[in-house]
Amino acid sequence: MGKNINEIKFSVIIPAYNAEKTIYRALKSVTNQTFVNYICEIIIINDGSTDETKSIVEQFKDDNIEFNIKLYNKKNGGVSSARNLGIKKATGNWIALLDSDDEWLDNKLEKQIKVIENNCNVDFLGCNHTDEIVRIGGHPINKLYKATVKDLCVKMFPQTSTAIFKKEIFNKIGGYDESRSYCEDGQFFLKICEKYNYYYMPEKLIVYDGGRRGFGVSGLSGNIYKMQKGAMENLKELRQRKAISISFYLLMIVFYQVKYIRRILICKMEKNEKNTDVCK
């Protein structure tokens, strides 16, 4: 791996906590990239794992010496502290985020690099993680789209493992809020969207957590109540910074409550269906 003629260098940041079942697939999806020469390093932050995550990464590193793989071990401090440490250690001028239970499609970086090479004003770029079309106010996003803060309030996108952004953004606005465990990605992304050119391409280029839904299933996203609380905190912070009007703020409070109730009902219905299937 090394820099190319356009001086685009990616540092891939992978936080990992007890990821022994998925970390190999995540790493392999990076080394399989068609535009792998744009990657200058792969940084894994082992966030105090108590399983075999560390040894699996070390073995992968030994088996793939042609890649610049860096492993940092730290006490458990949460995913935000892990991402912050990884980005601080990064030497690339672009950051690519990847969670340890997600995988990139082989052409993920290739597709995104072609977009930023053809659109010099892009500071941040994400893509889709499902086959579902992202819609804002009922309007589908079916081409390269420059998002606004209001857009992200209505629909938080993209998913973390799809995101790439210039490292200078992190240097200027700071990193993730390490006191937060829920919706910290949304909080960070909203700060970026306020001040930089925040773009989205509607193509699915990753496999998210084995293809599962993004709420009410597993991990941190399984706690719908705390996800709702985190989203409300993000909204409140936006209003405090006067990034949104009071009328829009009040409208979103109602909208978030309706969305919260909908998610609870969806999860209950699926749980009841599962229990019914077990009884058959």
Side-chain angles (χ1 to χ4, degrees):
M1 294 184 291
K3 68 180 182 180
N4 58 59
I5 57 174
N6 294 314
E7 298 295 333
I8 297 174
K9 298 188 296 179
F10 277 96
S11 293
V12 182
I13 310 299
I14 308 176
Y17 174 71
N18 288 352
E20 64 180 8
K21 294 181 180 179
T22 59
I23 188 64
Y24 179 88
R25 297 199 309 269
L27 289 167
K28 196 65 180 175
S29 77
V30 177
T31 59
N32 280 344
Q33 289 299 297
T34 52
F35 272 31
V36 73
N37 60 302
Y38 282 75
I39 300 173
C40 66
E41 60 191 351
I42 304 169
I43 298 175
I44 303 97
I45 306 298
N46 176 31
D47 190 35
S49 297
T50 57
D51 64 359
E52 296 302 312
T53 296
K54 179 175 179 288
S55 61
I56 292 171
V57 173
E58 288 174 337
Q59 185 62 57
F60 188 92
K61 180 179 178 181
D62 291 342
D63 292 342
N64 296 271
I65 58 175
E66 69 272 28
F67 296 100
N68 184 18
I69 300 174
K70 301 175 180 179
L71 171 64
Y72 296 96
N73 298 296
K74 61 184 284 294
K75 292 182 179 179
N76 181 255
V79 67
S80 292
S81 67
R83 287 200 186 106
N84 283 344
L85 176 59
I87 299 173
K88 287 175 184 176
K89 296 284 187 181
T91 61
N93 55 2
W94 280 80
I95 301 297
L97 301 177
L98 175 60
D99 286 344
S100 60
D101 52 357
D102 297 334
E103 302 162 57
W104 289 346
L105 300 187
D106 291 353
N107 62 347
K108 189 262 189 188
L109 275 188
E110 176 183 353
K111 294 273 189 174
Q112 291 185 309
I113 287 167
K114 287 180 178 178
V115 169
I116 62 177
E117 285 182 334
N118 292 323
N119 300 272
C120 61
N121 60 328
V122 173
D123 299 315
F124 174 105
L125 178 64
C127 58
N128 209 341
H129 67 290
T130 71
D131 294 320
E132 183 180 346
I133 297 174
V134 172
R135 297 175 182 272
I136 303 296
H139 301 289
I141 299 177
N142 49 29
K143 61 182 180 179
L144 185 65
Y145 180 78
K146 186 177 187 296
T148 67
V149 169
K150 285 187 175 181
D151 291 336
L152 299 192
C153 289
V154 174
K155 173 74 174 180
M156 179 52 64
F157 64 98
Q159 190 270 345
T160 305
S161 293
T162 75
I164 62 173
F165 57 89
K166 293 176 179 177
K167 189 187 176 183
E168 65 183 53
I169 292 176
F170 177 88
N171 296 337
K172 290 181 179 179
I173 71 172
Y176 285 81
D177 183 344
E178 297 184 14
S179 68
R180 296 276 295 273
S181 298
Y182 292 87
C183 297
E184 74 285 345
D185 287 317
Q187 181 190 39
F188 183 55
F189 288 176
L190 282 164
K191 288 180 181 179
I192 295 176
C193 193
E194 279 184 67
K195 299 181 180 297
Y196 295 91
N197 296 314
Y198 188 105
Y199 279 84
Y200 171 80
M201 54 188 294
E203 189 170 354
K204 178 186 175 182
L205 295 175
I206 79 158
V207 177
Y208 169 72
D209 194 18
R212 291 187 284 186
R213 191 186 60 225
F215 66 88
V217 179
S218 63
L220 293 177
S221 61
N223 194 319
I224 298 176
Y225 169 74
K226 290 187 177 180
M227 285 179 65
Q228 168 74 359
K229 184 178 179 181
M232 294 294 287
E233 288 177 3
N234 290 346
L235 193 65
K236 183 178 180 181
E237 289 177 2
L238 285 173
R239 179 56 199 154
Q240 289 173 340
R241 295 196 298 269
K242 297 184 178 180
I244 55 175
S245 67
I246 184 64
S247 59
F248 184 78
Y249 172 65
L250 294 174
L251 176 63
M252 285 298 100
I253 289 177
V254 176
F255 177 69
Y256 282 16
Q257 291 297 331
V258 172
K259 186 162 65 171
Y260 174 55
I261 293 170
R262 177 179 175 273
R263 285 182 167 181
I264 291 176
L265 292 175
I266 289 173
C267 291
K268 284 185 176 180
M269 288 174 61
E270 290 184 351
K271 184 178 180 180
N272 290 337
E273 288 175 1
K274 190 176 295 185
N275 291 337
T276 301
D277 291 338
V278 170
C279 294
K280 286 181 179 179

mmCIF file of all heavy atoms in Angstrom, residues 225-242:
data_model
loop_
_atom_site.group_PDB
_atom_site.id
_atom_site.type_symbol
_atom_site.label_atom_id
_atom_site.label_comp_id
_atom_site.label_asym_id
_atom_site.label_seq_id
_atom_site.Cartn_x
_atom_site.Cartn_y
_atom_site.Cartn_z
ATOM 1 N N TYR A 225 -34.683 2.740 23.751
ATOM 2 C CA TYR A 225 -34.912 3.880 24.638
ATOM 3 C C TYR A 225 -33.699 4.803 24.677
ATOM 4 O O TYR A 225 -33.818 6.029 24.549
ATOM 5 C CB TYR A 225 -35.253 3.401 26.047
ATOM 6 C CG TYR A 225 -35.246 4.516 27.066
ATOM 7 C CD1 TYR A 225 -36.279 5.455 27.102
ATOM 8 C CD2 TYR A 225 -34.192 4.655 27.966
ATOM 9 C CE1 TYR A 225 -36.268 6.506 28.011
ATOM 10 C CE2 TYR A 225 -34.172 5.695 28.881
ATOM 11 C CZ TYR A 225 -35.203 6.620 28.908
ATOM 12 O OH TYR A 225 -35.180 7.655 29.806
ATOM 13 N N LYS A 226 -32.515 4.198 24.837
ATOM 14 C CA LYS A 226 -31.306 5.023 24.927
ATOM 15 C C LYS A 226 -30.940 5.636 23.574
ATOM 16 O O LYS A 226 -30.373 6.723 23.515
ATOM 17 C CB LYS A 226 -30.149 4.203 25.489
ATOM 18 C CG LYS A 226 -30.333 3.882 26.970
ATOM 19 C CD LYS A 226 -29.116 3.214 27.580
ATOM 20 C CE LYS A 226 -29.317 2.981 29.078
ATOM 21 N NZ LYS A 226 -28.140 2.321 29.700
ATOM 22 N N MET A 227 -31.273 4.940 22.499
ATOM 23 C CA MET A 227 -31.079 5.540 21.174
ATOM 24 C C MET A 227 -31.967 6.771 21.012
ATOM 25 O O MET A 227 -31.547 7.803 20.480
ATOM 26 C CB MET A 227 -31.415 4.517 20.081
ATOM 27 C CG MET A 227 -30.366 3.433 19.885
ATOM 28 S SD MET A 227 -30.857 2.261 18.602
ATOM 29 C CE MET A 227 -30.871 3.308 17.145
ATOM 30 N N GLN A 228 -33.205 6.659 21.503
ATOM 31 C CA GLN A 228 -34.131 7.795 21.449
ATOM 32 C C GLN A 228 -33.612 8.955 22.292
ATOM 33 O O GLN A 228 -33.627 10.117 21.860
ATOM 34 C CB GLN A 228 -35.509 7.354 21.955
ATOM 35 C CG GLN A 228 -36.500 8.463 22.241
ATOM 36 C CD GLN A 228 -37.075 9.094 20.985
ATOM 37 O OE1 GLN A 228 -36.721 8.716 19.873
ATOM 38 N NE2 GLN A 228 -37.970 10.058 21.164
ATOM 39 N N LYS A 229 -33.121 8.643 23.475
ATOM 40 C CA LYS A 229 -32.588 9.675 24.365
ATOM 41 C C LYS A 229 -31.394 10.379 23.733
ATOM 42 O O LYS A 229 -31.265 11.602 23.795
ATOM 43 C CB LYS A 229 -32.188 9.046 25.700
ATOM 44 C CG LYS A 229 -31.706 10.050 26.740
ATOM 45 C CD LYS A 229 -31.368 9.365 28.057
ATOM 46 C CE LYS A 229 -30.859 10.366 29.091
ATOM 47 N NZ LYS A 229 -30.503 9.709 30.365
ATOM 48 N N GLY A 230 -30.510 9.584 23.099
ATOM 49 C CA GLY A 230 -29.343 10.169 22.441
ATOM 50 C C GLY A 230 -29.733 11.069 21.281
ATOM 51 O O GLY A 230 -29.149 12.144 21.089
ATOM 52 N N ALA A 231 -30.721 10.652 20.505
ATOM 53 C CA ALA A 231 -31.189 11.469 19.383
ATOM 54 C C ALA A 231 -31.782 12.788 19.877
ATOM 55 O O ALA A 231 -31.564 13.848 19.269
ATOM 56 C CB ALA A 231 -32.218 10.695 18.575
ATOM 57 N N MET A 232 -32.516 12.739 20.986
ATOM 58 C CA MET A 232 -33.093 13.958 21.553
ATOM 59 C C MET A 232 -32.004 14.897 22.065
ATOM 60 O O MET A 232 -32.107 16.128 21.930
ATOM 61 C CB MET A 232 -34.057 13.596 22.685
ATOM 62 C CG MET A 232 -35.305 12.843 22.233
ATOM 63 S SD MET A 232 -36.396 13.827 21.189
ATOM 64 C CE MET A 232 -37.087 14.948 22.406
ATOM 65 N N GLU A 233 -30.946 14.331 22.626
ATOM 66 C CA GLU A 233 -29.820 15.153 23.094
ATOM 67 C C GLU A 233 -29.139 15.848 21.919
ATOM 68 O O GLU A 233 -28.762 17.023 22.012
ATOM 69 C CB GLU A 233 -28.825 14.279 23.858
ATOM 70 C CG GLU A 233 -29.327 13.834 25.228
ATOM 71 C CD GLU A 233 -28.347 12.912 25.936
ATOM 72 O OE1 GLU A 233 -27.259 12.665 25.380
ATOM 73 O OE2 GLU A 233 -28.677 12.439 27.037
ATOM 74 N N ASN A 234 -28.987 15.122 20.810
ATOM 75 C CA ASN A 234 -28.386 15.727 19.621
ATOM 76 C C ASN A 234 -29.231 16.891 19.125
ATOM 77 O O ASN A 234 -28.704 17.943 18.731
ATOM 78 C CB ASN A 234 -28.249 14.683 18.506
ATOM 79 C CG ASN A 234 -27.194 13.638 18.821
ATOM 80 O OD1 ASN A 234 -26.381 13.805 19.715
ATOM 81 N ND2 ASN A 234 -27.205 12.552 18.069
ATOM 82 N N LEU A 235 -30.535 16.705 19.138
ATOM 83 C CA LEU A 235 -31.454 17.748 18.697
ATOM 84 C C LEU A 235 -31.346 18.983 19.599
ATOM 85 O O LEU A 235 -31.299 20.125 19.119
ATOM 86 C CB LEU A 235 -32.882 17.205 18.702
ATOM 87 C CG LEU A 235 -33.960 18.022 18.003
ATOM 88 C CD1 LEU A 235 -33.681 18.097 16.504
ATOM 89 C CD2 LEU A 235 -35.334 17.423 18.270
ATOM 90 N N LYS A 236 -31.277 18.739 20.893
ATOM 91 C CA LYS A 236 -31.158 19.837 21.861
ATOM 92 C C LYS A 236 -29.871 20.620 21.654
ATOM 93 O O LYS A 236 -29.857 21.860 21.712
ATOM 94 C CB LYS A 236 -31.223 19.280 23.279
ATOM 95 C CG LYS A 236 -31.185 20.339 24.367
ATOM 96 C CD LYS A 236 -31.300 19.701 25.749
ATOM 97 C CE LYS A 236 -31.253 20.751 26.845
ATOM 98 N NZ LYS A 236 -31.347 20.132 28.197
ATOM 99 N N GLU A 237 -28.770 19.908 21.384
ATOM 100 C CA GLU A 237 -27.488 20.572 21.150
ATOM 101 C C GLU A 237 -27.536 21.446 19.904
ATOM 102 O O GLU A 237 -26.977 22.547 19.887
ATOM 103 C CB GLU A 237 -26.376 19.527 21.019
ATOM 104 C CG GLU A 237 -26.020 18.834 22.327
ATOM 105 C CD GLU A 237 -24.975 17.753 22.142
ATOM 106 O OE1 GLU A 237 -24.493 17.572 21.003
ATOM 107 O OE2 GLU A 237 -24.644 17.087 23.134
ATOM 108 N N LEU A 238 -28.203 20.960 18.869
ATOM 109 C CA LEU A 238 -28.343 21.759 17.651
ATOM 110 C C LEU A 238 -29.068 23.061 17.932
ATOM 111 O O LEU A 238 -28.679 24.131 17.445
ATOM 112 C CB LEU A 238 -29.107 20.966 16.585
ATOM 113 C CG LEU A 238 -28.368 19.849 15.865
ATOM 114 C CD1 LEU A 238 -29.332 19.066 14.979
ATOM 115 C CD2 LEU A 238 -27.220 20.402 15.026
ATOM 116 N N ARG A 239 -30.123 22.974 18.717
ATOM 117 C CA ARG A 239 -30.888 24.181 19.053
ATOM 118 C C ARG A 239 -30.053 25.130 19.898
ATOM 119 O O ARG A 239 -30.091 26.353 19.691
ATOM 120 C CB ARG A 239 -32.179 23.794 19.784
ATOM 121 C CG ARG A 239 -33.028 24.984 20.196
ATOM 122 C CD ARG A 239 -33.364 25.861 19.012
ATOM 123 N NE ARG A 239 -33.789 27.207 19.443
ATOM 124 C CZ ARG A 239 -33.667 28.289 18.708
ATOM 125 N NH1 ARG A 239 -33.126 28.222 17.500
ATOM 126 N NH2 ARG A 239 -34.066 29.462 19.163
ATOM 127 N N GLN A 240 -29.265 24.575 20.824
ATOM 128 C CA GLN A 240 -28.410 25.410 21.668
ATOM 129 C C GLN A 240 -27.380 26.164 20.836
ATOM 130 O O GLN A 240 -27.008 27.297 21.160
ATOM 131 C CB GLN A 240 -27.730 24.553 22.731
ATOM 132 C CG GLN A 240 -28.682 24.049 23.808
ATOM 133 C CD GLN A 240 -28.033 23.066 24.759
ATOM 134 O OE1 GLN A 240 -26.995 22.461 24.453
ATOM 135 N NE2 GLN A 240 -28.632 22.883 25.925
ATOM 136 N N ARG A 241 -26.913 25.524 19.750
ATOM 137 C CA ARG A 241 -25.948 26.175 18.861
ATOM 138 C C ARG A 241 -26.656 27.045 17.816
ATOM 139 O O ARG A 241 -26.000 27.637 16.953
ATOM 140 C CB ARG A 241 -25.085 25.128 18.140
ATOM 141 C CG ARG A 241 -24.193 24.317 19.054
ATOM 142 C CD ARG A 241 -23.101 23.585 18.269
ATOM 143 N NE ARG A 241 -23.622 22.611 17.312
ATOM 144 C CZ ARG A 241 -23.837 21.326 17.591
ATOM 145 N NH1 ARG A 241 -23.589 20.872 18.815
ATOM 146 N NH2 ARG A 241 -24.303 20.494 16.676
ATOM 147 N N LYS A 242 -27.991 27.062 17.874
ATOM 148 C CA LYS A 242 -28.827 27.812 16.931
ATOM 149 C C LYS A 242 -28.614 27.348 15.496
ATOM 150 O O LYS A 242 -28.708 28.120 14.541
ATOM 151 C CB LYS A 242 -28.569 29.316 17.062
ATOM 152 C CG LYS A 242 -28.950 29.870 18.421
ATOM 153 C CD LYS A 242 -28.783 31.378 18.495
ATOM 154 C CE LYS A 242 -29.214 31.913 19.865
ATOM 155 N NZ LYS A 242 -29.053 33.369 19.968
#
